[in-house]
Amino acid sequence: MALSRVCWARPALWRSAVIPGSFVTRRLQLSRSVPAWRAPRSSKLHLSPKADERKNLISYVVTKTRAINGTYHRFLGRQFPRFYALYTVFMKGIQMLWADAKKARRIKANMWKHNIKFHQLSYREMEHLRQFRRDITKCLFVGIISIPPFANYLVFLLMYLFPRQLLVKHFWTPKQQTDFLDIYHSLRKQSHSEIITYLERASATVSDEKLRWHLTDLCTKVQSGTHPTTHDILALRDCFSTHPLGLNQLQALQMKALSRAVLLTPYLPAPMLRWRLKTHTTVIHQLDMALAKLGIGQLSAQEVKSACYLRGLNSTHIADDRCQTWLGEWLQISCSLKEAELSLLLHNVVLLSTNYPETRR
């Protein structure tokens, strides 16, 4: 009996020894499954050694590329100075044209977002869009003729031989800019005498005797080399609003001569010429209204010269104060005209610029 009790007591003691241990083990497992309170991890990302090596490699390649590029530029400047000058102008032109495109895109996006019309923009924004449209039209023409296979090599040669006709001003050298502006002005000046002759002929068909006398007197002054005053020109407002000198009454030959005077192509049908002249004159009038609101004094010297050249004056060889005076006379006339009288503004390109002092070349 005693031996059997001892045998039964051993398993009991063994169970009593094992159960607490398993209980402790479970407690430890549960305590491990519950997340302990820890300090927040740092938000900084630590790059691995491979990422650091990759970053250092990229930095090394960029530094070496810049050094090689600088050496290449110095080599071109020493060995091929003329080619390097053209290359520099071309690369700067690409950058300026790209900057103009981004600015024009921002202006257009702002117009679409706020439902703003062209004439509601500021003067500088209007002028930027107007000039960019002309530049991109010429660039698109060059792009179109480069489409055929191997035509791009011929186009590069043509751009080198005829930069004035095929390239925009961004790709001209400073000397080319002055020379090309002189050439363009000489081309538009060739039509001045023809336009004055048409005005003389039209004066005979003006019904109002007083307006007829004023128009004849104005043509005589211009032909004799006298610079007309703003009062002389504004006195003919009614004459240019209806027959025979209104925009809708101009003859085809008159429109061709006026197109040459504002550097528009004259080789188009009469309806297209009339539409382009109307559009061009309307844009100039809108620019004048915005410029009058801004004030000539807010423009830089280069902006004043560009504004004068657009309106018919060869401002490349005229002092800054003389350009401001002439632009003030133009604005005085333009801001006094209504939409029906814009034909006078179109003819003003010739009347106000032909005999201006320091422009007779």
Side-chain angles (χ1 to χ4, degrees), residues 155-346:
V155 169
F156 280 122
L157 178 62
L158 293 176
M159 287 192 296
Y160 177 77
L161 297 175
F162 306 101
R164 179 176 63 86
Q165 291 85 352
L166 295 178
L167 298 178
V168 297
K169 63 179 182 179
H170 300 312
F171 302 97
W172 297 346
T173 64
K175 185 178 182 303
Q176 284 178 332
Q177 291 188 14
T178 303
D179 294 343
F180 292 167
L181 290 179
D182 287 340
I183 293 173
Y184 278 128
H185 183 70
S186 64
L187 291 175
R188 65 184 181 184
K189 194 174 180 180
Q190 292 174 2
S191 62
H192 285 190
S193 59
E194 185 180 355
I195 293 172
I196 299 299
T197 302
Y198 284 130
L199 289 179
E200 270 191 316
R201 294 175 183 173
S203 63
T205 61
V206 176
S207 57
D208 190 289
E209 184 177 352
K210 186 177 180 181
L211 288 176
R212 188 188 319 127
W213 181 86
H214 274 298
L215 183 56
T216 304
D217 182 63
L218 179 64
C219 293
T220 304
K221 283 183 178 180
V222 174
Q223 288 174 333
S224 63
T226 304
H227 179 66
T229 64
T230 56
H231 179 268
D232 294 334
I233 296 175
L234 286 175
L236 297 169
R237 296 171 56 174
D238 295 337
C239 188
F240 285 84
S241 59
T242 56
H243 182 80
L245 295 173
L247 276 175
N248 293 324
Q249 287 78 32
L250 294 175
Q251 301 298 319
L253 293 178
Q254 289 177 278
M255 291 189 292
K256 289 180 182 294
L258 289 168
S259 296
R260 290 193 294 270
V262 294
L263 298 178
L264 297 177
T265 177
Y267 308 108
L268 292 173
M272 185 66 71
L273 288 175
R274 195 183 311 277
W275 176 79
R276 294 198 73 191
L277 287 174
K278 280 184 177 181
T279 303
H280 179 80
T281 310
T282 302
V283 170
I284 296 297
H285 189 246
Q286 292 171 347
L287 282 169
D288 291 340
M289 300 299 288
L291 179 55
K293 184 178 180 181
L294 176 66
I296 300 177
Q298 300 297 320
L299 300 182
S300 65
Q302 184 58 43
E303 287 176 326
V304 172
K305 285 183 176 291
S306 299
C308 291
Y309 192 90
L310 173 64
R311 291 156 178 81
L313 183 71
N314 187 13
S315 55
T316 54
H317 305 284
I318 302 179
D320 297 343
D321 57 337
R322 303 286 295 174
C323 290
Q324 286 189 352
T325 302
W326 186 90
L327 188 57
E329 294 179 5
W330 175 282
L331 290 182
Q332 183 180 352
I333 295 172
S334 179
C335 295
S336 303
L337 299 178
K338 301 176 182 178
E339 185 177 354
E341 301 166 342
L342 290 185
S343 179
L344 178 57
L345 187 65
L346 180 60

